Amino acid sequence: MCRVIAVANQKGGVGKTTTCVNLGIGLARAGKKVLLVEADAQGSMAVSLGIAEPDELDVTLVNIMEKVINDEDAEPGEGIIHHGEGIDFIPANIELAGLETALVNVMSRETILRQYLNSVKREYDFVIIDCMPSLGMITINALVAADSVLIPVEAAYLPVKGLQQLIKTIGRVHRKLNPALNIMGILLTKVDRRTNFARDISAQIREVYGNRVHIFENCIPLSVKAAETTAEGKSIYLHDPKGIVAGGYHSLTQEVLADEK
Ligand code: ADP
Ligand code: MG
């Protein structure tokens, strides 16, 4: 059975893309078949996976979603790129912003991505969707297509308002469009182990949300090595295999796998 995970937080820079790439490649290293889907017009996942100019790509998620909208079938494997580190991925670029606007006039606009994923997910153990920093129609499509949501939260300030809004949106999608949707958990990212501040924030998030939302045991430490991977186009496991961020994502991968059992 395939599990579809949306990695979402409408705040930018919290580690969504980094988490998709390194959890996805972590799961592939554990023998799982993984498809990463970039649902973000910024194209940063494509860049993180070695595509220097995503805006120059001919085929992206946009073409695939347009096919669904026009009732056409995608060719098998169309738009799916095989990556050297063992995952498949579908990139996106700036054209996704235009598609989001165009969706307003489309029938069943919330379910376009789900319709597509239903046609390919039997090939995979995990599909991980990298959401854009907004709660617009593309993110709604991701939530409708997903079984669970992983919420990266930067341990730098208490994100009460934004998180409440996100949890509310997830609840709404759950009630109206996707009764199978659940919150997998909050993942604390960019945790600066040298400061008490990050520890205070972690404690506060546990206090405020811990009884409603699962919080992953493992958090992702802050390290410049993680920031470097984006430019390198490879995962943290190749860039800094013995570092704390590789350790963090390896442990998160194990936690996600344990949850499957
Ligand atoms: P989002 O997708 O939520 O916008 P990103 O994954 O792109 O967030 O991360 C935002 C920035 O922070 C990027 O430059 C990335 O390289 C950097 N970053 C991500 N995780 C870490 C980390 N654990 N430590 C330091 N920098 C990080
Ligand atoms: Mg991103």
Side-chain angles (χ1 to χ4, degrees), residues 16-189:
K16 290 183 290 297
T17 302
T18 307
T19 297
C20 286
V21 167
N22 293 295
L23 173 60
I25 292 177
L27 289 166
R29 291 162 68 94
K32 299 295 177 186
K33 294 191 76 182
V34 179
L35 174 68
L36 302 184
V37 178
E38 174 163 42
D40 185 358
Q42 283 175 23
S44 12
M45 176 192 273
V47 174
S48 298
L49 292 169
I51 294 176
E53 302 286 350
D55 289 348
E56 286 170 15
L57 285 167
D58 288 334
V59 181
T60 66
L61 182 66
V62 174
N63 309 77
I64 290 170
M65 288 181 73
E66 278 172 346
K67 284 213 158 167
V68 177
I69 292 167
N70 298 328
D71 271 333
E72 293 165 28
D73 289 328
E75 306 291 322
E78 185 177 347
I80 298 178
I81 300 175
H82 305 293
H83 187 266
E85 290 189 63
I87 51 133
D88 286 351
F89 73 103
I90 301 176
N93 63 21
I94 188 71
E95 292 173 24
L96 191 65
L99 181 78
E100 177 154 48
T101 315
L103 275 177
V104 175
N105 296 314
V106 169
M107 200 190 286
S108 307
R109 56 184 171 269
E110 296 96 348
T111 67
I112 305 299
L113 184 57
R114 174 162 75 189
Q115 292 178 56
Y116 168 69
L117 288 182
N118 281 344
S119 71
V120 293
K121 67 188 203 187
R122 68 182 67 88
E123 310 278 332
Y124 298 97
D125 299 309
F126 289 91
V127 175
I128 305 178
I129 308 170
D130 185 19
C131 294
M132 62 171 81
S134 90
L135 295 174
M137 194 44 71
I138 298 291
T139 298
I140 300 296
N141 263 266
L143 296 176
V144 169
D147 303 305
S148 7
V149 192
L150 187 158
I151 308 173
V153 168
E154 187 179 352
Y157 76 119
L158 193 59
V160 182
K161 266 215 164 136
L163 255 184
Q164 273 168 2
Q165 206 186 351
L166 175 60
I167 291 169
K168 214 166 135 189
T169 302
I170 295 168
R172 233 190 244 149
V173 171
H174 169 82
R175 283 191 303 280
K176 299 192 170 176
L177 295 161
N178 180 9
L181 186 66
N182 65 62
I183 299 181
M184 195 176 180
I186 291 175
L187 173 69
L188 290 164
T189 60

Side-chain angles (χ1 to χ4, degrees), residues 9 11-20 40 42 44 48 130-131 133 152 189-191 220-231 245 249:
N9 186 334
K11 187 169 175 345
V14 298
K16 290 183 290 297
T17 302
T18 307
T19 297
C20 286
D40 185 358
Q42 283 175 23
S44 12
S48 298
D130 185 19
C131 294
T189 60
K190 299 186 169 180
V191 177
I220 307 302
L222 180 80
S223 161
V224 66
K225 295 287 180 190
E228 289 166 4
T229 56
T230 312
V245 175
Y249 279 114

